[in-house]
Amino acid sequence: GESVGLHLPTLSVQEGDNSIINCAYSNSASDYFIWYKQESGKGPQFIIDIRSNMDKRQGQRVTVLLNKTVKHLSLQIAATQPGDSAVYFCAEGPQKLVFGQGTRLTINP
Amino acid sequence: NAGVMQNPRHLVRRRGQEARLRCSPMKGHSHVYWYRQLPEEGLKFMVYLQKENIIDESGMPKERFSAEFPKEGPSILRIQQVVRGDSAAYFCASSPSRSSNQPQHFGDGTRLSIL
């Protein structure tokens, strides 16, 4: 996982645009990755996961890309909506999850 | 509500008191995980339990912290003689099995404040 920082990186996008949130992981042996969305005052909400034997997986309005060569994970959100505003975390699994730093996504009207 | 249930949602304790945090996993889930989150940070793994067994406690502080998941009832995270540094949000997650195909689902946490 990434080192912990005192301030979350922030991504601001216009409503309706696509959002891309990036994550670097450190353990080349990790074989399972998850993206979570966390809204203020709530717990992480599962969005999508991907195994290391895949490089892309799609869900409803979301796509996760995995690049094992450079240990990089990304989450793409299509047609971003106000309800997508939250902090997004990547995590390496499967049992003892190691969370990344998180990215705060804000939507401009 | 079939989700992971945590209570209390907010807990205030004075230094030196004990804090007990409870977690009921999703129906059908037999694996429970506890994580801790400081403001503006990601969650940090604490402990992984199955019914009546601690599978991995590598993230638990050596002193004052303990966890259990009895045969009947919720999982309990217990913090004895709390100190200011224990103030954080504590989250519980559950999964149906050890399978790597099963994501963990989280509750909404207990916010612990130490006076």
Side-chain angles (χ1 to χ4, degrees), chain A residues 4-6 8 32 34 36 38 41-44 46 49 51 89 94-97 99-101 104, chain B residues 9 33 35 37 40-45 48 56 58 91 98 100-104 106-108 111:
Chain A
V4 171
L6 292 177
L8 287 174
Y32 180 64
I34 315 173
Y36 286 98
Q38 187 176 27
K42 294 192 173 182
F46 170 77
D49 56 0
R51 297 289 309 277
F89 293 99
Q95 278 92 36
K96 181 179 170 180
L97 293 180
F99 279 78
Q101 182 181 21
R104 186 182 305 280
Chain B
R9 289 297 312 278
Y33 314 80
Y35 294 82
Q37 185 178 35
E40 300 288 292
E41 294 186 6
L43 282 71
K44 297 290 178 64
F45 170 81
Y48 165 28
D56 183 342
S58 58
F91 290 95
R98 294 186 71 149
S100 57
N101 292 324
Q102 303 291 339
Q104 294 175 28
F106 284 82
D108 281 337
R111 271 92 184 147

mmCIF file of all heavy atoms in Angstrom, chain A residues 4-6 8 32 34 36 38 41-44 46 49 51 89 94-97 99-101 104, chain B residues 9 33 35 37 40-45 48 56 58 91 98 100-104 106-108 111:
data_model
loop_
_atom_site.group_PDB
_atom_site.id
_atom_site.type_symbol
_atom_site.label_atom_id
_atom_site.label_comp_id
_atom_site.label_asym_id
_atom_site.label_seq_id
_atom_site.Cartn_x
_atom_site.Cartn_y
_atom_site.Cartn_z
ATOM 1 N N VAL A 4 1.124 6.723 4.174
ATOM 2 C CA VAL A 4 0.015 7.545 4.633
ATOM 3 C C VAL A 4 0.417 8.998 4.645
ATOM 4 O O VAL A 4 1.499 9.346 5.099
ATOM 5 C CB VAL A 4 -0.395 7.098 6.048
ATOM 6 C CG1 VAL A 4 -1.383 8.063 6.635
ATOM 7 C CG2 VAL A 4 -0.964 5.692 5.998
ATOM 8 N N GLY A 5 -0.417 9.874 4.176
ATOM 9 C CA GLY A 5 -0.137 11.302 4.189
ATOM 10 C C GLY A 5 -1.134 12.022 5.053
ATOM 11 O O GLY A 5 -2.152 11.469 5.445
ATOM 12 N N LEU A 6 -0.843 13.251 5.423
ATOM 13 C CA LEU A 6 -1.722 14.022 6.280
ATOM 14 C C LEU A 6 -2.861 14.640 5.494
ATOM 15 O O LEU A 6 -3.877 14.999 6.055
ATOM 16 C CB LEU A 6 -0.918 15.108 6.989
ATOM 17 C CG LEU A 6 0.094 14.617 8.011
ATOM 18 C CD1 LEU A 6 0.873 15.778 8.602
ATOM 19 C CD2 LEU A 6 -0.591 13.836 9.122
ATOM 20 N N LEU A 8 -5.373 14.404 2.016
ATOM 21 C CA LEU A 8 -5.793 13.553 0.924
ATOM 22 C C LEU A 8 -5.611 14.273 -0.400
ATOM 23 O O LEU A 8 -5.988 15.438 -0.540
ATOM 24 C CB LEU A 8 -7.261 13.186 1.096
ATOM 25 C CG LEU A 8 -7.621 12.181 2.194
ATOM 26 C CD1 LEU A 8 -9.115 12.071 2.300
ATOM 27 C CD2 LEU A 8 -6.972 10.842 1.913
ATOM 28 N N TYR A 32 -5.279 -9.699 -5.363
ATOM 29 C CA TYR A 32 -6.682 -9.288 -5.319
ATOM 30 C C TYR A 32 -6.733 -7.829 -4.913
ATOM 31 O O TYR A 32 -6.097 -7.423 -3.928
ATOM 32 C CB TYR A 32 -7.429 -10.158 -4.316
ATOM 33 C CG TYR A 32 -8.896 -9.864 -4.158
ATOM 34 C CD1 TYR A 32 -9.794 -10.049 -5.214
ATOM 35 C CD2 TYR A 32 -9.405 -9.420 -2.951
ATOM 36 C CE1 TYR A 32 -11.142 -9.788 -5.062
ATOM 37 C CE2 TYR A 32 -10.751 -9.168 -2.787
ATOM 38 C CZ TYR A 32 -11.615 -9.350 -3.844
ATOM 39 O OH TYR A 32 -12.953 -9.098 -3.692
ATOM 40 N N ILE A 34 -9.292 -4.179 -4.555
ATOM 41 C CA ILE A 34 -10.664 -3.706 -4.396
ATOM 42 C C ILE A 34 -10.664 -2.178 -4.385
ATOM 43 O O ILE A 34 -9.743 -1.564 -3.836
ATOM 44 C CB ILE A 34 -11.280 -4.180 -3.054
ATOM 45 C CG1 ILE A 34 -10.988 -5.655 -2.803
ATOM 46 C CG2 ILE A 34 -12.774 -3.935 -3.017
ATOM 47 C CD1 ILE A 34 -11.420 -6.117 -1.430
ATOM 48 N N TYR A 36 -12.967 0.945 -2.903
ATOM 49 C CA TYR A 36 -14.041 1.309 -1.989
ATOM 50 C C TYR A 36 -14.325 2.799 -2.106
ATOM 51 O O TYR A 36 -13.430 3.609 -2.368
ATOM 52 C CB TYR A 36 -13.657 1.010 -0.540
ATOM 53 C CG TYR A 36 -13.667 -0.456 -0.160
ATOM 54 C CD1 TYR A 36 -12.486 -1.202 -0.155
ATOM 55 C CD2 TYR A 36 -14.847 -1.084 0.229
ATOM 56 C CE1 TYR A 36 -12.489 -2.539 0.227
ATOM 57 C CE2 TYR A 36 -14.856 -2.418 0.607
ATOM 58 C CZ TYR A 36 -13.671 -3.137 0.606
ATOM 59 O OH TYR A 36 -13.675 -4.461 0.977
ATOM 60 N N GLN A 38 -15.924 5.904 0.237
ATOM 61 C CA GLN A 38 -16.299 6.237 1.603
ATOM 62 C C GLN A 38 -16.876 7.645 1.663
ATOM 63 O O GLN A 38 -16.181 8.621 1.372
ATOM 64 C CB GLN A 38 -15.102 6.115 2.555
ATOM 65 C CG GLN A 38 -15.503 6.282 4.014
ATOM 66 C CD GLN A 38 -14.345 6.055 4.976
ATOM 67 O OE1 GLN A 38 -13.180 6.250 4.631
ATOM 68 N NE2 GLN A 38 -14.655 5.641 6.187
ATOM 69 N N GLY A 41 -18.744 10.119 7.391
ATOM 70 C CA GLY A 41 -19.483 9.517 8.486
ATOM 71 C C GLY A 41 -19.920 8.094 8.253
ATOM 72 O O GLY A 41 -20.638 7.516 9.072
ATOM 73 N N LYS A 42 -19.481 7.508 7.137
ATOM 74 C CA LYS A 42 -19.898 6.155 6.813
ATOM 75 C C LYS A 42 -18.698 5.237 6.629
ATOM 76 O O LYS A 42 -17.552 5.675 6.576
ATOM 77 C CB LYS A 42 -20.743 6.157 5.542
ATOM 78 C CG LYS A 42 -22.068 6.873 5.706
ATOM 79 C CD LYS A 42 -22.976 6.591 4.528
ATOM 80 C CE LYS A 42 -24.357 7.169 4.773
ATOM 81 N NZ LYS A 42 -25.290 6.853 3.650
ATOM 82 N N GLY A 43 -18.985 3.954 6.534
ATOM 83 C CA GLY A 43 -17.942 2.979 6.278
ATOM 84 C C GLY A 43 -17.648 2.854 4.797
ATOM 85 O O GLY A 43 -18.420 3.324 3.957
ATOM 86 N N PRO A 44 -16.525 2.230 4.452
ATOM 87 C CA PRO A 44 -16.210 2.009 3.034
ATOM 88 C C PRO A 44 -17.275 1.151 2.366
ATOM 89 O O PRO A 44 -17.721 0.151 2.926
ATOM 90 C CB PRO A 44 -14.869 1.281 3.095
ATOM 91 C CG PRO A 44 -14.285 1.630 4.418
ATOM 92 C CD PRO A 44 -15.454 1.751 5.335
ATOM 93 N N PHE A 46 -18.150 -1.112 -0.943
ATOM 94 C CA PHE A 46 -17.542 -1.851 -2.044
ATOM 95 C C PHE A 46 -18.026 -1.330 -3.391
ATOM 96 O O PHE A 46 -19.221 -1.110 -3.596
ATOM 97 C CB PHE A 46 -17.898 -3.339 -1.913
ATOM 98 C CG PHE A 46 -17.524 -4.177 -3.103
ATOM 99 C CD1 PHE A 46 -16.208 -4.559 -3.305
ATOM 100 C CD2 PHE A 46 -18.479 -4.572 -4.022
ATOM 101 C CE1 PHE A 46 -15.865 -5.330 -4.404
ATOM 102 C CE2 PHE A 46 -18.151 -5.344 -5.120
ATOM 103 C CZ PHE A 46 -16.836 -5.731 -5.312
ATOM 104 N N ASP A 49 -14.024 -5.082 -7.735
ATOM 105 C CA ASP A 49 -12.771 -5.765 -7.415
ATOM 106 C C ASP A 49 -12.189 -6.384 -8.682
ATOM 107 O O ASP A 49 -12.856 -6.471 -9.720
ATOM 108 C CB ASP A 49 -12.971 -6.828 -6.332
ATOM 109 C CG ASP A 49 -14.036 -7.874 -6.694
ATOM 110 O OD1 ASP A 49 -14.624 -7.791 -7.788
ATOM 111 O OD2 ASP A 49 -14.286 -8.754 -5.849
ATOM 112 N N ARG A 51 -9.075 -9.503 -9.862
ATOM 113 C CA ARG A 51 -8.019 -10.449 -9.543
ATOM 114 C C ARG A 51 -6.798 -10.145 -10.400
ATOM 115 O O ARG A 51 -6.893 -9.539 -11.466
ATOM 116 C CB ARG A 51 -8.489 -11.889 -9.834
ATOM 117 C CG ARG A 51 -9.661 -12.348 -9.015
ATOM 118 C CD ARG A 51 -9.312 -12.576 -7.579
ATOM 119 N NE ARG A 51 -8.147 -13.432 -7.398
ATOM 120 C CZ ARG A 51 -8.200 -14.762 -7.425
ATOM 121 N NH1 ARG A 51 -9.330 -15.383 -7.656
ATOM 122 N NH2 ARG A 51 -7.100 -15.467 -7.214
ATOM 123 N N PHE A 89 -10.813 4.722 -2.013
ATOM 124 C CA PHE A 89 -9.633 3.977 -1.581
ATOM 125 C C PHE A 89 -9.455 2.732 -2.428
ATOM 126 O O PHE A 89 -10.421 2.014 -2.704
ATOM 127 C CB PHE A 89 -9.771 3.510 -0.128
ATOM 128 C CG PHE A 89 -9.767 4.603 0.894
ATOM 129 C CD1 PHE A 89 -10.946 5.082 1.424
ATOM 130 C CD2 PHE A 89 -8.574 5.133 1.348
ATOM 131 C CE1 PHE A 89 -10.949 6.083 2.393
ATOM 132 C CE2 PHE A 89 -8.553 6.132 2.312
ATOM 133 C CZ PHE A 89 -9.749 6.607 2.831
ATOM 134 N N PRO A 94 -6.431 -10.652 -0.150
ATOM 135 C CA PRO A 94 -7.865 -10.621 0.126
ATOM 136 C C PRO A 94 -8.276 -10.512 1.588
ATOM 137 O O PRO A 94 -9.325 -9.949 1.874
ATOM 138 C CB PRO A 94 -8.340 -11.956 -0.418
ATOM 139 C CG PRO A 94 -7.166 -12.877 -0.207
ATOM 140 C CD PRO A 94 -5.932 -12.026 -0.380
ATOM 141 N N GLN A 95 -7.474 -11.024 2.529
ATOM 142 C CA GLN A 95 -7.960 -11.008 3.911
ATOM 143 C C GLN A 95 -7.515 -9.761 4.663
ATOM 144 O O GLN A 95 -8.308 -8.970 5.116
ATOM 145 C CB GLN A 95 -7.485 -12.255 4.677
ATOM 146 C CG GLN A 95 -8.342 -13.477 4.432
ATOM 147 C CD GLN A 95 -7.831 -14.313 3.307
ATOM 148 O OE1 GLN A 95 -6.625 -14.427 3.129
ATOM 149 N NE2 GLN A 95 -8.708 -14.890 2.530
ATOM 150 N N LYS A 96 -6.218 -9.632 4.795
ATOM 151 C CA LYS A 96 -5.662 -8.518 5.551
ATOM 152 C C LYS A 96 -5.523 -7.339 4.597
ATOM 153 O O LYS A 96 -4.471 -7.112 4.005
ATOM 154 C CB LYS A 96 -4.309 -8.957 6.105
ATOM 155 C CG LYS A 96 -3.571 -7.953 6.930
ATOM 156 C CD LYS A 96 -2.269 -8.603 7.409
ATOM 157 C CE LYS A 96 -1.367 -7.577 8.034
ATOM 158 N NZ LYS A 96 -0.102 -8.229 8.497
ATOM 159 N N LEU A 97 -6.609 -6.587 4.426
ATOM 160 C CA LEU A 97 -6.602 -5.521 3.421
ATOM 161 C C LEU A 97 -5.590 -4.438 3.779
ATOM 162 O O LEU A 97 -5.509 -3.989 4.924
ATOM 163 C CB LEU A 97 -7.989 -4.888 3.297
ATOM 164 C CG LEU A 97 -9.100 -5.777 2.717
ATOM 165 C CD1 LEU A 97 -10.419 -4.998 2.648
ATOM 166 C CD2 LEU A 97 -8.726 -6.314 1.356
ATOM 167 N N PHE A 99 -4.845 -0.681 2.722
ATOM 168 C CA PHE A 99 -5.501 0.421 2.041
ATOM 169 C C PHE A 99 -4.493 1.442 1.545
ATOM 170 O O PHE A 99 -3.482 1.722 2.209
ATOM 171 C CB PHE A 99 -6.490 1.120 2.989
ATOM 172 C CG PHE A 99 -7.800 0.408 3.110
ATOM 173 C CD1 PHE A 99 -7.911 -0.728 3.899
ATOM 174 C CD2 PHE A 99 -8.925 0.868 2.443
ATOM 175 C CE1 PHE A 99 -9.122 -1.396 4.020
ATOM 176 C CE2 PHE A 99 -10.139 0.212 2.552
ATOM 177 C CZ PHE A 99 -10.237 -0.920 3.344
ATOM 178 N N GLY A 100 -4.800 2.035 0.401
ATOM 179 C CA GLY A 100 -4.040 3.158 -0.101
ATOM 180 C C GLY A 100 -4.437 4.425 0.627
ATOM 181 O O GLY A 100 -5.282 4.440 1.522
ATOM 182 N N GLN A 101 -3.820 5.515 0.220
ATOM 183 C CA GLN A 101 -3.988 6.793 0.893
ATOM 184 C C GLN A 101 -5.391 7.353 0.731
ATOM 185 O O GLN A 101 -5.910 8.011 1.620
ATOM 186 C CB GLN A 101 -2.969 7.785 0.321
ATOM 187 C CG GLN A 101 -2.992 9.152 0.956
ATOM 188 C CD GLN A 101 -1.970 10.075 0.319
ATOM 189 O OE1 GLN A 101 -1.533 9.851 -0.797
ATOM 190 N NE2 GLN A 101 -1.594 11.124 1.017
ATOM 191 N N ARG A 104 -9.870 12.225 -2.640
ATOM 192 C CA ARG A 104 -11.179 12.864 -2.461
ATOM 193 C C ARG A 104 -11.672 13.347 -3.812
ATOM 194 O O ARG A 104 -11.005 14.135 -4.485
ATOM 195 C CB ARG A 104 -11.072 14.037 -1.482
ATOM 196 C CG ARG A 104 -12.422 14.659 -1.140
ATOM 197 C CD ARG A 104 -12.259 15.854 -0.207
ATOM 198 N NE ARG A 104 -11.531 15.528 0.992
ATOM 199 C CZ ARG A 104 -12.043 14.931 2.051
ATOM 200 N NH1 ARG A 104 -13.312 14.582 2.051
ATOM 201 N NH2 ARG A 104 -11.293 14.690 3.106
ATOM 202 N N ARG B 9 -22.476 3.774 17.609
ATOM 203 C CA ARG B 9 -21.934 4.573 16.516
ATOM 204 C C ARG B 9 -20.919 5.588 17.047
ATOM 205 O O ARG B 9 -19.934 5.901 16.389
ATOM 206 C CB ARG B 9 -23.049 5.303 15.772
ATOM 207 C CG ARG B 9 -23.941 4.402 14.946
ATOM 208 C CD ARG B 9 -23.194 3.697 13.811
ATOM 209 N NE ARG B 9 -22.357 4.590 13.032
ATOM 210 C CZ ARG B 9 -22.795 5.365 12.059
ATOM 211 N NH1 ARG B 9 -24.068 5.397 11.738
ATOM 212 N NH2 ARG B 9 -21.951 6.161 11.406
ATOM 213 N N TYR B 33 -13.382 -8.820 10.412
ATOM 214 C CA TYR B 33 -12.124 -8.068 10.398
ATOM 215 C C TYR B 33 -12.356 -6.735 11.084
ATOM 216 O O TYR B 33 -13.400 -6.113 10.905
ATOM 217 C CB TYR B 33 -11.687 -7.799 8.949
ATOM 218 C CG TYR B 33 -11.770 -8.999 8.037
ATOM 219 C CD1 TYR B 33 -12.991 -9.394 7.488
ATOM 220 C CD2 TYR B 33 -10.634 -9.734 7.693
ATOM 221 C CE1 TYR B 33 -13.079 -10.489 6.644
ATOM 222 C CE2 TYR B 33 -10.716 -10.821 6.838
ATOM 223 C CZ TYR B 33 -11.950 -11.194 6.324
ATOM 224 O OH TYR B 33 -12.030 -12.285 5.481
ATOM 225 N N TYR B 35 -10.710 -2.839 11.610
ATOM 226 C CA TYR B 35 -9.769 -1.853 11.082
ATOM 227 C C TYR B 35 -9.915 -0.568 11.885
ATOM 228 O O TYR B 35 -10.969 -0.276 12.452
ATOM 229 C CB TYR B 35 -10.067 -1.538 9.605
ATOM 230 C CG TYR B 35 -9.860 -2.687 8.658
ATOM 231 C CD1 TYR B 35 -10.840 -3.662 8.498
ATOM 232 C CD2 TYR B 35 -8.687 -2.808 7.916
ATOM 233 C CE1 TYR B 35 -10.654 -4.726 7.626
ATOM 234 C CE2 TYR B 35 -8.497 -3.865 7.033
ATOM 235 C CZ TYR B 35 -9.489 -4.819 6.903
ATOM 236 O OH TYR B 35 -9.299 -5.871 6.045
ATOM 237 N N GLN B 37 -9.238 3.737 11.647
ATOM 238 C CA GLN B 37 -9.012 4.840 10.711
ATOM 239 C C GLN B 37 -8.842 6.147 11.460
ATOM 240 O O GLN B 37 -9.717 6.548 12.230
ATOM 241 C CB GLN B 37 -10.172 4.960 9.719
ATOM 242 C CG GLN B 37 -9.938 6.013 8.632
ATOM 243 C CD GLN B 37 -11.087 6.085 7.640
ATOM 244 O OE1 GLN B 37 -12.246 5.919 7.988
ATOM 245 N NE2 GLN B 37 -10.753 6.346 6.376
ATOM 246 N N GLU B 40 -8.449 11.615 7.707
ATOM 247 C CA GLU B 40 -7.711 11.852 6.465
ATOM 248 C C GLU B 40 -6.725 10.734 6.139
ATOM 249 O O GLU B 40 -5.764 10.952 5.396
ATOM 250 C CB GLU B 40 -6.960 13.192 6.515
ATOM 251 C CG GLU B 40 -7.852 14.411 6.719
ATOM 252 C CD GLU B 40 -8.679 14.755 5.494
ATOM 253 O OE1 GLU B 40 -8.081 15.177 4.488
ATOM 254 O OE2 GLU B 40 -9.915 14.593 5.551
ATOM 255 N N GLU B 41 -6.948 9.550 6.674
ATOM 256 C CA GLU B 41 -6.066 8.427 6.380
ATOM 257 C C GLU B 41 -6.880 7.213 5.931
ATOM 258 O O GLU B 41 -8.090 7.152 6.113
ATOM 259 C CB GLU B 41 -5.217 8.068 7.598
ATOM 260 C CG GLU B 41 -4.228 9.142 7.987
ATOM 261 C CD GLU B 41 -3.303 8.697 9.102
ATOM 262 O OE1 GLU B 41 -3.357 7.527 9.498
ATOM 263 O OE2 GLU B 41 -2.512 9.535 9.566
ATOM 264 N N GLY B 42 -6.178 6.242 5.358
ATOM 265 C CA GLY B 42 -6.812 4.981 5.008
ATOM 266 C C GLY B 42 -6.986 4.110 6.238
ATOM 267 O O GLY B 42 -6.467 4.402 7.309
ATOM 268 N N LEU B 43 -7.739 3.037 6.063
ATOM 269 C CA LEU B 43 -7.967 2.120 7.161
ATOM 270 C C LEU B 43 -6.728 1.248 7.383
ATOM 271 O O LEU B 43 -6.060 0.856 6.426
ATOM 272 C CB LEU B 43 -9.167 1.225 6.869
ATOM 273 C CG LEU B 43 -10.556 1.841 7.068
ATOM 274 C CD1 LEU B 43 -10.873 2.886 6.005
ATOM 275 C CD2 LEU B 43 -11.618 0.750 7.064
ATOM 276 N N LYS B 44 -6.467 0.928 8.647
ATOM 277 C CA LYS B 44 -5.330 0.070 8.997
ATOM 278 C C LYS B 44 -5.868 -1.218 9.633
ATOM 279 O O LYS B 44 -6.633 -1.168 10.598
ATOM 280 C CB LYS B 44 -4.404 0.773 9.986
ATOM 281 C CG LYS B 44 -3.757 2.031 9.431
ATOM 282 C CD LYS B 44 -2.749 1.719 8.378
ATOM 283 C CE LYS B 44 -2.141 2.972 7.775
ATOM 284 N NZ LYS B 44 -1.372 3.760 8.730
ATOM 285 N N PHE B 45 -5.439 -2.336 9.094
ATOM 286 C CA PHE B 45 -5.874 -3.640 9.586
ATOM 287 C C PHE B 45 -5.457 -3.852 11.033
ATOM 288 O O PHE B 45 -4.340 -3.513 11.444
ATOM 289 C CB PHE B 45 -5.259 -4.741 8.718
ATOM 290 C CG PHE B 45 -5.424 -6.134 9.263
ATOM 291 C CD1 PHE B 45 -6.606 -6.831 9.074
ATOM 292 C CD2 PHE B 45 -4.397 -6.744 9.970
ATOM 293 C CE1 PHE B 45 -6.767 -8.105 9.575
ATOM 294 C CE2 PHE B 45 -4.541 -8.023 10.477
ATOM 295 C CZ PHE B 45 -5.720 -8.715 10.283
ATOM 296 N N TYR B 48 -8.187 -10.285 12.388
ATOM 297 C CA TYR B 48 -9.066 -11.087 11.541
ATOM 298 C C TYR B 48 -9.504 -12.287 12.376
ATOM 299 O O TYR B 48 -8.669 -13.011 12.919
ATOM 300 C CB TYR B 48 -8.299 -11.499 10.286
ATOM 301 C CG TYR B 48 -8.867 -12.603 9.436
ATOM 302 C CD1 TYR B 48 -10.229 -12.866 9.371
ATOM 303 C CD2 TYR B 48 -8.008 -13.387 8.660
ATOM 304 C CE1 TYR B 48 -10.721 -13.886 8.565
ATOM 305 C CE2 TYR B 48 -8.486 -14.406 7.852
ATOM 306 C CZ TYR B 48 -9.847 -14.650 7.805
ATOM 307 O OH TYR B 48 -10.322 -15.664 7.009
ATOM 308 N N ASP B 56 -5.599 -13.846 12.488
ATOM 309 C CA ASP B 56 -4.448 -12.957 12.276
ATOM 310 C C ASP B 56 -4.641 -11.723 13.142
ATOM 311 O O ASP B 56 -5.600 -10.994 12.948
ATOM 312 C CB ASP B 56 -4.350 -12.587 10.791
ATOM 313 C CG ASP B 56 -3.141 -11.720 10.446
ATOM 314 O OD1 ASP B 56 -2.536 -11.113 11.345
ATOM 315 O OD2 ASP B 56 -2.815 -11.628 9.246
ATOM 316 N N SER B 58 -1.984 -9.538 13.669
ATOM 317 C CA SER B 58 -0.709 -8.848 13.476
ATOM 318 C C SER B 58 -0.822 -7.331 13.534
ATOM 319 O O SER B 58 0.172 -6.648 13.737
ATOM 320 C CB SER B 58 -0.088 -9.274 12.140
ATOM 321 O OG SER B 58 -0.969 -8.981 11.066
ATOM 322 N N PHE B 91 -13.666 0.329 12.342
ATOM 323 C CA PHE B 91 -14.584 -0.298 11.400
ATOM 324 C C PHE B 91 -14.456 -1.805 11.455
ATOM 325 O O PHE B 91 -13.360 -2.364 11.598
ATOM 326 C CB PHE B 91 -14.293 0.174 9.970
ATOM 327 C CG PHE B 91 -14.660 1.605 9.723
ATOM 328 C CD1 PHE B 91 -13.707 2.607 9.834
ATOM 329 C CD2 PHE B 91 -15.962 1.958 9.394
ATOM 330 C CE1 PHE B 91 -14.042 3.936 9.625
ATOM 331 C CE2 PHE B 91 -16.310 3.284 9.180
ATOM 332 C CZ PHE B 91 -15.352 4.274 9.301
ATOM 333 N N ARG B 98 -12.889 -17.475 3.451
ATOM 334 C CA ARG B 98 -11.518 -17.008 3.214
ATOM 335 C C ARG B 98 -11.234 -16.836 1.720
ATOM 336 O O ARG B 98 -10.198 -16.370 1.342
ATOM 337 C CB ARG B 98 -10.507 -18.023 3.762
ATOM 338 C CG ARG B 98 -10.535 -18.178 5.251
ATOM 339 C CD ARG B 98 -9.420 -19.063 5.708
ATOM 340 N NE ARG B 98 -8.129 -18.384 5.576
ATOM 341 C CZ ARG B 98 -7.103 -18.597 6.364
ATOM 342 N NH1 ARG B 98 -7.216 -19.461 7.327
ATOM 343 N NH2 ARG B 98 -5.972 -17.961 6.187
ATOM 344 N N SER B 100 -10.569 -15.786 -1.866
ATOM 345 C CA SER B 100 -10.094 -14.502 -2.375
ATOM 346 C C SER B 100 -11.076 -13.889 -3.353
ATOM 347 O O SER B 100 -10.847 -12.799 -3.851
ATOM 348 C CB SER B 100 -8.732 -14.693 -3.043
ATOM 349 O OG SER B 100 -8.826 -15.653 -4.079
ATOM 350 N N ASN B 101 -12.174 -14.557 -3.652
ATOM 351 C CA ASN B 101 -13.171 -13.995 -4.547
ATOM 352 C C ASN B 101 -14.251 -13.222 -3.806
ATOM 353 O O ASN B 101 -15.187 -12.736 -4.425
ATOM 354 C CB ASN B 101 -13.843 -15.113 -5.342
ATOM 355 C CG ASN B 101 -12.896 -15.764 -6.322
ATOM 356 O OD1 ASN B 101 -12.058 -15.089 -6.901
ATOM 357 N ND2 ASN B 101 -13.011 -17.064 -6.490
ATOM 358 N N GLN B 102 -14.137 -13.134 -2.514
ATOM 359 C CA GLN B 102 -15.198 -12.524 -1.732
ATOM 360 C C GLN B 102 -14.732 -11.212 -1.109
ATOM 361 O O GLN B 102 -13.860 -11.208 -0.244
ATOM 362 C CB GLN B 102 -15.621 -13.479 -0.601
ATOM 363 C CG GLN B 102 -16.070 -14.841 -1.089
ATOM 364 C CD GLN B 102 -17.389 -14.764 -1.833
ATOM 365 O OE1 GLN B 102 -18.155 -13.825 -1.670
ATOM 366 N NE2 GLN B 102 -17.648 -15.763 -2.663
ATOM 367 N N PRO B 103 -15.290 -10.068 -1.556
ATOM 368 C CA PRO B 103 -14.880 -8.798 -0.957
ATOM 369 C C PRO B 103 -15.409 -8.665 0.462
ATOM 370 O O PRO B 103 -16.424 -9.255 0.823
ATOM 371 C CB PRO B 103 -15.535 -7.760 -1.874
ATOM 372 C CG PRO B 103 -16.723 -8.450 -2.451
ATOM 373 C CD PRO B 103 -16.321 -9.889 -2.607
ATOM 374 N N GLN B 104 -14.716 -7.874 1.247
ATOM 375 C CA GLN B 104 -15.168 -7.573 2.590
ATOM 376 C C GLN B 104 -16.182 -6.426 2.523
ATOM 377 O O GLN B 104 -15.993 -5.456 1.792
ATOM 378 C CB GLN B 104 -13.983 -7.169 3.472
ATOM 379 C CG GLN B 104 -13.002 -8.304 3.689
ATOM 380 C CD GLN B 104 -11.787 -7.872 4.465
ATOM 381 O OE1 GLN B 104 -11.829 -6.934 5.270
ATOM 382 N NE2 GLN B 104 -10.677 -8.558 4.256
ATOM 383 N N PHE B 106 -18.224 -3.569 4.808
ATOM 384 C CA PHE B 106 -17.973 -2.818 6.037
ATOM 385 C C PHE B 106 -19.242 -2.279 6.681
ATOM 386 O O PHE B 106 -20.227 -1.964 6.004
ATOM 387 C CB PHE B 106 -17.054 -1.621 5.739
ATOM 388 C CG PHE B 106 -15.620 -2.003 5.541
ATOM 389 C CD1 PHE B 106 -15.175 -2.484 4.321
ATOM 390 C CD2 PHE B 106 -14.709 -1.886 6.584
ATOM 391 C CE1 PHE B 106 -13.847 -2.843 4.136
ATOM 392 C CE2 PHE B 106 -13.375 -2.233 6.412
ATOM 393 C CZ PHE B 106 -12.948 -2.723 5.187
ATOM 394 N N GLY B 107 -19.167 -2.149 8.012
ATOM 395 C CA GLY B 107 -20.175 -1.402 8.736
ATOM 396 C C GLY B 107 -19.837 0.083 8.722
ATOM 397 O O GLY B 107 -18.834 0.496 8.121
ATOM 398 N N ASP B 108 -20.671 0.878 9.386
ATOM 399 C CA ASP B 108 -20.472 2.324 9.395
ATOM 400 C C ASP B 108 -19.592 2.803 10.548
ATOM 401 O O ASP B 108 -19.443 4.007 10.755
ATOM 402 C CB ASP B 108 -21.816 3.049 9.404
ATOM 403 C CG ASP B 108 -22.452 3.098 8.017
ATOM 404 O OD1 ASP B 108 -21.705 2.985 7.016
ATOM 405 O OD2 ASP B 108 -23.686 3.232 7.935
ATOM 406 N N ARG B 111 -17.170 5.665 16.245
ATOM 407 C CA ARG B 111 -16.246 6.773 16.470
ATOM 408 C C ARG B 111 -15.957 6.859 17.958
ATOM 409 O O ARG B 111 -16.856 7.160 18.744
ATOM 410 C CB ARG B 111 -16.848 8.108 15.988
ATOM 411 C CG ARG B 111 -16.534 8.382 14.538
ATOM 412 C CD ARG B 111 -17.628 7.843 13.647
ATOM 413 N NE ARG B 111 -17.317 8.006 12.229
ATOM 414 C CZ ARG B 111 -17.693 7.148 11.287
ATOM 415 N NH1 ARG B 111 -18.389 6.086 11.618
ATOM 416 N NH2 ARG B 111 -17.373 7.366 10.037
#
